[in-house]
Amino acid sequence: MTRSKQAGMDFSVGTLNFLANVGIILPYLLILARFQQTQSTTYLIALVAFYVSRAASIFYTKRLHLRASTYLILSLTLGAAGSLIFAFTAHLGWLIIGSFLWGYSAATIWPYFLTVKLHLTNLTNFKMKRIYWLIFAGLGVIAAIDIVTKFNYTLTFALLGLLYLVALPGGMLLQNVTRGLYDDLPWQIKPFRQGWRWGLSLVFFAVMAVLTTLRKATVHLPTWLTLTIIGIALIILIVELRFDWHVLPQYKLRLLSRGFLVSLVLLFNSFFAYFYLGKNGMYVVFAIYLLGLETGYPLYHRLGRGNDFRSRDLSLIGVVVGQVLLLIPWIGSYLLGMLLITLYVGYDNPTINATLYGLETVDSDSAMVHKYRFSTYGGLLCQLGIFGLLVALSAAAHRPLLAFFNPQTTGHFALYFYGLSCPLVVISLLLTLGNIWVRPRN
């Protein structure tokens, strides 16, 4: 391979690495930004469609019985199609199609990329190219031009679509490198035959669409009806969990707890932080999350002196202390508690990846999908808890539901702290304690 071709392939693989890391959240943020800029009902519907597609796709992605490397290429292709649709049209029908395609890509690109990356770690010395900051800088410049010229992020959508296409050769290279792996892998999965479970899933994700809409726009529904909808969704979630509990039973509670914690930090506290830190609260929470995610593993690994069990025990002590600190209504304990929780997530993420990938009870081509599916269960459980508590609290205090998602004053801190934050933290703490109880002892 010539030097120019090698440079092009390196850039392609680096772009794939970048998209895999930001692909789950960046499309959502861009569609949300366009909705906030235009206040168009069309983009609200597209945003809800994307959110539901992203939540649903991780549960059903393996039903086509393809290899992880093939799914990765599919994710890139659909991501390109979805982003380019948003770049070139504002027609509602096309935007809904684009949202569904992009939602699938956002849900699946990271777990399949991670699966292929883990395969490569075991098979070759292949290294992923890291060019995050170069691509981030390019996207930032294009987004700034979009804002100044009032193009409604059209250029950013177009550039992102091109990046998905640029990453395709890298995806094909990874597929070729891992091709021999599948000769001995039992990667086939039984098809999803229970029609009644398909029906339950449709009802559940329709409910999530309604709840997402309530978070973005003023929709007047009776309190009893909203709580009934949430209750139905919770029952469906429990039924689905019951039927999937046989997969990785020893690690399922750990994954549920992780998903709940991530939603508690990124979804709930991105809004609740306003009552501690004002309008910059959301950015502080994101910064703490990124800090914990990047430093959690090396910190606890060093504190545990290289002993995995000691490091994990220390991380569990840290997350319990962090959750207890969130129950104290003081900004200092809040910031320290958030940091300890995110440090635990940062430590747990790579360790659970390595653990699940090496299990003999599940094939390595499906391990990461199982992980993200059940982390999503935990995240959805947190969301239902947020909405259930918030709807009841808003009705009791005679406050609009959107007042929490668009706060203008910190005067209602006590209402949201004791009525919303504390119950959610207690639920999270119970999941963590359950995880500690069932964890492997050796």
Side-chain angles (χ1 to χ4, degrees):
M1 185 180 293
T2 65
R3 182 172 298 181
S4 60
K5 287 184 178 180
Q6 183 62 54
M9 187 58 70
D10 288 349
F11 184 75
S12 178
V13 173
T15 303
L16 170 58
N17 197 10
F18 169 82
L19 291 173
N21 280 274
V22 304
I24 190 169
I25 189 63
L26 186 59
Y28 177 82
L29 293 178
L30 287 175
I31 300 173
L32 176 61
R34 178 173 275 191
F35 163 65
Q36 291 176 335
Q37 194 172 67
T38 63
Q39 291 298 306
S40 168
T41 304
T42 297
Y43 288 104
L44 174 62
I45 295 172
L47 184 68
V48 172
F50 173 87
Y51 182 86
V52 172
S53 174
R54 188 182 67 178
S57 294
I58 196 62
F59 292 100
Y60 309 117
T61 176
K62 290 294 284 184
R63 301 306 168 186
L64 296 177
H65 310 302
L66 304 177
R67 300 166 178 173
S69 55
T70 305
Y71 276 117
L72 180 59
I73 292 175
L74 180 63
S75 293
L76 290 170
T77 304
L78 297 184
S83 54
L84 291 174
I85 285 173
F86 273 85
F88 294 116
T89 183
H91 186 274
L92 177 60
W94 278 109
L95 289 182
I96 291 175
I97 294 173
S99 295
F100 282 130
L101 298 179
W102 214 357
Y104 178 88
S105 175
T108 59
I109 187 170
W110 173 249
Y112 287 124
F113 172 80
L114 181 58
T115 298
V116 174
K117 185 177 179 181
L118 289 170
H119 289 341
L120 289 170
T121 300
N122 289 315
L123 290 175
T124 72
N125 293 319
F126 191 87
K127 301 294 183 183
M128 298 295 169
K129 306 298 179 181
R130 299 176 65 87
I131 54 171
Y132 296 140
W133 299 115
L134 174 64
I135 301 176
F136 259 129
L139 278 173
V141 170
I142 295 299
I145 294 173
D146 269 329
I147 293 171
V148 171
T149 57
K150 298 182 180 180
F151 281 166
N152 295 331
Y153 297 96
T154 298
L155 295 177
T156 309
F157 283 122
L159 175 60
L160 202 54
L162 291 176
L163 288 176
Y164 279 104
L165 295 177
V166 167
L168 273 174
M172 293 177 181
L173 173 65
L174 301 190
Q175 185 182 43
N176 290 332
V177 172
T178 58
R179 190 178 301 278
L181 170 76
Y182 295 99
D183 295 339
D184 300 316
L185 266 185
W187 49 268
Q188 288 283 1
I189 299 176
K190 293 180 180 179
F192 193 52
R193 293 193 179 97
Q194 300 103 318
W196 65 271
R197 287 186 69 189
W198 276 107
L200 284 181
S201 298
L202 291 175
V203 173
F204 181 84
F205 290 110
V207 168
M208 296 309 298
V210 171
L211 296 181
T212 305
T213 303
L214 291 175
R215 200 173 83 211
K216 302 297 181 184
T218 302
V219 179
H220 298 288
L221 292 177
T223 300
W224 68 267
L225 178 59
T226 309
L227 289 175
T228 300
I229 290 173
I230 294 171
I232 291 172
L234 185 59
I235 292 171
I236 294 174
L237 185 64
I238 292 172
V239 170
E240 288 290 327
L241 272 172
R242 171 65 182 83
F243 274 88
D244 284 336
W245 201 256
H246 66 282
V247 183
L248 308 176
Q250 196 174 19
Y251 299 94
K252 202 62 58 63
L253 200 54
R254 180 175 173 181
L255 295 172
L256 285 173
S257 176
R258 175 189 178 277
F260 196 100
L261 282 170
V262 170
S263 282
L264 183 68
V265 172
L266 292 182
L267 176 59
F268 173 72
N269 279 285
S270 65
F271 297 104
F272 183 67
Y274 176 90
F275 296 97
Y276 276 113
L277 303 163
K279 62 181 180 180
N280 293 320
M282 177 185 293
Y283 304 107
V284 174
V285 166
F286 287 159
I288 291 174
Y289 179 77
L290 290 175
L291 177 64
L293 202 65
E294 292 297 322
T295 62
Y297 183 81
L299 174 64
Y300 280 118
H301 183 71
R302 184 166 185 174
L303 289 175
R305 299 177 182 178
N307 185 295
D308 292 340
F309 294 103
R310 186 185 299 121
S311 298
R312 174 153 169 75
D313 287 343
L314 289 173
S315 72
L316 288 168
I317 292 171
V319 74
V320 169
V321 172
Q323 289 163 308
V324 171
L325 287 173
L326 292 188
L327 297 174
I328 302 172
W330 177 54
I331 186 172
S333 60
Y334 176 77
L335 292 175
L336 181 57
M338 291 289 291
L339 179 60
L340 287 171
I341 290 172
T342 58
L343 285 171
Y344 165 77
V345 173
Y347 173 78
D348 188 63
N349 200 46
T351 55
I352 192 67
N353 288 345
T355 300
L356 294 184
Y357 185 81
L359 285 180
E360 296 181 357
T361 55
V362 61
D363 71 88
S364 57
D365 215 44
S366 300
M368 293 305 106
V369 175
H370 286 311
K371 174 197 170 182
Y372 282 93
R373 194 170 85 225
F374 289 99
S375 290
T376 302
Y377 272 135
L380 293 173
L381 179 63
C382 183
Q383 292 178 49
L384 291 176
I386 292 171
F387 276 105
L389 290 167
L390 187 56
V391 169
L393 199 63
S394 298
H398 304 291
R399 284 183 57 76
L401 189 66
L402 286 177
F404 174 76
F405 296 111
N406 187 26
Q408 303 298 322
T409 175
T410 59
H412 293 87
F413 170 82
L415 175 69
Y416 292 122
F417 177 78
Y418 292 106
L420 195 55
S421 179
C422 285
L424 288 171
V425 172
V426 169
I427 295 171
S428 175
L429 183 57
L430 291 174
L431 286 173
T432 301
L433 293 175
N435 174 32
I436 292 173
W437 180 260
V438 303
R439 79 190 191 285
R441 298 303 201 275
N442 50 31

